[in-house]
Amino acid sequence: MTADLKIGAILKSNGQCRFTVWGPELDSVELELVSPQKDTVLMQKSEDGYWTTTVENVAAGTQYFYRVNQSEDLRPDPASFYQPEGVHGPSAVVDLSQYQWSDDGWKNIPWQDYVIYEVHIGTFTKEGTFEAAIAQLADLKALGITAIEILPVAQFPGDRNWGYDGVFPYATQNSYGGPEGFKRLVDACHREGLAVILDVVYNHFGPEGNYTGCFGPYTTDKYNTPWGNAINFDDTWSDGVREYCIENALYWLREFHVDGLRLDAIHAIYDFSAKHVLAELAEEVAKLSDQLGKPLYVTAESDLNDTRIIRSPEQGGFALQAQWCDDFHHALHTLVTGERYGYYHDFGTCEDLATAIRDRFVYSGKFSPFRRRRHGNDATDLPSHQFIVCAQNHDQIGNAKGCDRLSKLIPFDALKLTAAVLLTSPYIPLLFMGEEYGEVAPFNYFIDHSDPELVKAVYEGRKREFREAHGFGEPAPAHEVSTFEASKLNWDSRRSGHHKTLLDFYRRLLELRRQLQLSTPSYSADIDIKVARDRDQEVIVYQRSLPDGPLLFLMNFQQAVTTIELEAPQQPWQLKLDSAATEWNGPGSSLPETIAEAQTLELPPLSFTLYAVA
């Protein structure tokens, strides 16, 4: 399969290794082998800007650099598969075909059955490695998770980082366990019946260890992102850069058996070509999917509320599988926390959450007070499984004041209510690691840069962002080891007290999701939703049509008992879940087991109730 790779150090079974690097405007490139053998080899240039040479008797682990234009400086390979000594050290040859996979029978799972669990490898376990993560997979499977989404593992500076400062897109982070460790983790996931989504970053390079500029115009100053110059997808020599990124996507899917990709912040991927790079990427992934005989899914993080991302090419779209839907998170978050800073200013009512549940986007072309312009377009004709929603994720926690999870912001009953709204929604749900048992550790922003001036710049930038977003407070010092250590999960807490109760509640919700076929795709027409009012107190009441009959959802976001009038049902309703029940450490409730006639219901404070036809 590695024969499909055009760049990097491709090791063949006969001991030959083909080295290829892209540098369209360079005058010369030399391969410098530094360990275990030392040698200098002049490389040859093709018409399309690729420099290549083949070397005999090369073993896996051989370390090398490139010398460009006879410079005194040696540079690592921009398409390095492994950086054993970090971002400034030599690249290492990897035998990509060496690992013996055990997942031949794995054919992925239907997209609509995905329940995603977002994982940061460094803080997921005490050890912070791929190997240590394997021990937790059985618990996730028992919970009802069907897929893990791993934050970026491309090589970043130092040993600790969120992963979005990666500078070697093909190299698997050395401190996590390198390429071999990642393959073992993916293989173990498949043995447990878990799919794997990998977060990849094609909108920028990190600020330390990015040597791509020494080789060619990988970035462009035509556009700026919040993290620096944008990656060059439509400027001079952009063909090579597009190939670099698209081949990288295929590399993870093919060589590491990853089942899907999450494209980070695509609103910062700028491309005014006749064919957008994301459309081209989706086409190439579809071809690989056919070749491998299993579905491969590409999803996108975007705050644009733009359905072109997921619409078909015939509709002018990019044909990605799904996109994140921030509006759902913001509408839910503001209701349970009362926070209104930053973009939360646009949300805060039950009508907003009701719209998000029914219509995907709250802002589908209407005026956004936060942006001070109209925002979004209509998504009501698209199936619900093309949207990924969450109540928490790494960004929403790590960029909030205090970097606190909901478990530190809202009472226990509100945590249950939030979980139920998320996991019974018609969308693809995403949980952030530890959410299921009410983890209280923050998820701080952390770095391990080696340049003191860069460390200072990051700290000052974070302080400025916090002042602008929150009006007060300062973030934890990102460079300190204690900031990283404080973000690690406390797995033992899930075994007792309200943590265990919450874990059991999540497990029950995911069981109901399967039993009641809540993953069945829906459209706006399938949902009858309204906001009921009593003395200015709001609850959401909605019904959803499903193959086995309709469901009735009752949500009270008030911290007081709220009374509603319910019409007589066509068929009796049977109680399936009451978050206020004492078995869930709730205050108890008087809601009936069966509803067969019109009646008045008293909804407990901060409660969620689900009925199905008897």
Side-chain angles (χ1 to χ4, degrees), residues 121-378:
I121 293 297
T123 55
F124 185 53
T125 62
K126 180 180 179 181
E127 299 83 356
T129 63
F130 295 128
E131 194 67 36
I134 293 173
Q136 307 300 336
L137 298 180
D139 282 352
L140 298 184
K141 180 67 175 179
L143 173 63
I145 299 300
T146 63
I148 66 168
E149 179 178 309
I150 302 174
L151 268 64
V153 300
Q155 185 72 42
F156 52 74
D159 294 335
R160 55 190 186 274
N161 196 282
W162 275 16
Y164 300 93
D165 286 330
V167 288
F168 290 91
Y170 289 79
T172 313
Q173 177 65 20
N174 59 346
S175 61
Y176 290 168
E180 189 83 0
F182 187 37
K183 288 183 177 182
R184 285 197 297 271
L185 174 57
V186 175
D187 209 8
C189 285
H190 291 168
R191 286 197 301 271
E192 288 287 351
L194 296 168
V196 179
I197 299 173
L198 179 63
D199 200 341
V200 291
V201 183
Y202 300 139
N203 51 58
H204 77 291
F205 293 104
E208 179 182 350
N210 174 24
Y211 294 106
T212 59
C214 300
F215 293 87
Y218 284 79
T219 63
T220 174
D221 58 9
K222 279 177 62 176
Y223 317 108
N224 287 313
T225 77
W227 317 284
N229 286 355
I231 291 182
N232 174 22
F233 291 118
D234 67 359
D235 204 353
T236 304
W237 292 113
S238 59
D239 289 353
V241 183
R242 294 167 75 96
E243 192 164 26
Y244 177 82
C245 290
I246 291 173
E247 191 165 301
N248 179 253
L250 302 178
Y251 166 80
W252 294 115
L253 296 166
R254 182 180 57 236
E255 306 297 338
F256 290 82
H257 292 205
V258 167
D259 302 293
L261 302 173
R262 179 262 197 188
L263 308 180
D264 176 64
I266 67 162
H267 52 272
I269 294 178
Y270 300 103
D271 182 10
F272 286 90
S273 304
K275 187 171 197 174
H276 198 284
V277 65
L278 295 184
E280 188 176 349
L281 186 152
E283 280 187 6
E284 294 303 315
V285 170
K287 292 176 185 177
L288 180 61
S289 177
D290 290 341
Q291 180 184 345
L292 298 179
K294 71 172 186 177
L296 299 170
Y297 306 120
V298 181
T299 68
E301 180 205 13
S302 171
D303 68 352
L304 299 176
N305 286 14
D306 186 353
T307 60
R308 284 180 296 179
I309 297 164
I310 52 178
R311 290 194 183 277
S312 68
E314 292 75 19
Q315 295 176 304
F318 302 157
L320 302 188
Q321 180 68 35
Q323 68 179 84
W324 283 33
C325 181
D326 281 355
D327 282 11
F328 181 96
H329 169 271
H330 300 344
L332 180 56
H333 182 92
T334 51
L335 276 181
V336 296
T337 66
E339 293 181 338
R340 296 292 186 276
Y341 61 82
Y343 44 67
Y344 292 141
H345 178 69
D346 279 355
F347 302 86
T349 68
C350 279
E351 282 92 345
D352 291 332
L353 181 57
T355 301
I357 292 172
R358 183 190 59 232
D359 297 341
R360 294 60 168 131
F361 299 145
V362 177
Y363 288 85
S364 55
K366 71 177 182 179
F367 183 80
S368 158
F370 171 70
R371 293 176 174 84
R372 288 174 287 185
R373 59 172 174 80
R374 288 176 294 174
H375 181 62
N377 55 32
D378 184 76

Side-chain angles (χ1 to χ4, degrees), residues 393-533:
N393 64 44
H394 71 278
D395 264 330
Q396 301 300 342
I397 297 170
N399 291 316
K401 53 186 178 184
C403 300
D404 286 330
R405 297 164 178 264
L406 287 178
S407 55
K408 296 290 290 292
L409 301 177
I410 61 178
F412 183 67
D413 286 336
L415 286 177
K416 292 182 292 179
L417 170 59
T418 301
V421 174
L422 171 67
L423 295 179
T424 64
S425 80
Y427 307 118
I428 300 296
L430 177 142
L431 280 61
F432 184 61
M433 58 180 194
E435 172 184 338
E436 73 278 14
Y437 62 85
E439 175 62 65
V440 296
F443 187 67
N444 296 311
Y445 181 73
F446 41 82
I447 58 171
D448 190 20
H449 296 320
S450 61
D451 181 354
E453 290 302 315
L454 179 56
V455 169
K456 180 180 179 181
V458 170
Y459 184 52
E460 293 300 324
R462 289 283 289 177
K463 286 200 299 184
R464 184 168 55 254
E465 289 173 4
F466 264 57
R467 285 195 301 269
E468 293 173 354
H470 314 312
F472 61 91
E474 290 189 7
H479 62 285
E480 294 187 359
V481 176
S482 59
T483 299
F484 168 69
E485 293 291 340
S487 302
K488 294 199 173 190
L489 296 185
N490 301 293
W491 280 97
D492 288 343
S493 64
R494 73 194 193 282
R495 305 181 190 280
S496 61
H498 69 273
H499 295 292
K500 182 179 183 302
T501 301
L502 188 61
L503 180 65
D504 291 341
F505 187 69
Y506 269 81
R507 187 178 292 112
R508 176 58 177 154
L509 283 167
L510 288 170
E511 182 181 48
L512 285 171
R513 185 175 179 86
R514 294 188 300 272
Q515 290 176 351
L516 301 176
Q517 303 180 63
L518 293 177
S519 63
T520 301
S522 72
Y523 295 83
S524 292
D526 300 324
I527 296 176
D528 178 19
I529 192 165
K530 64 180 180 179
V531 174
R533 286 187 176 85

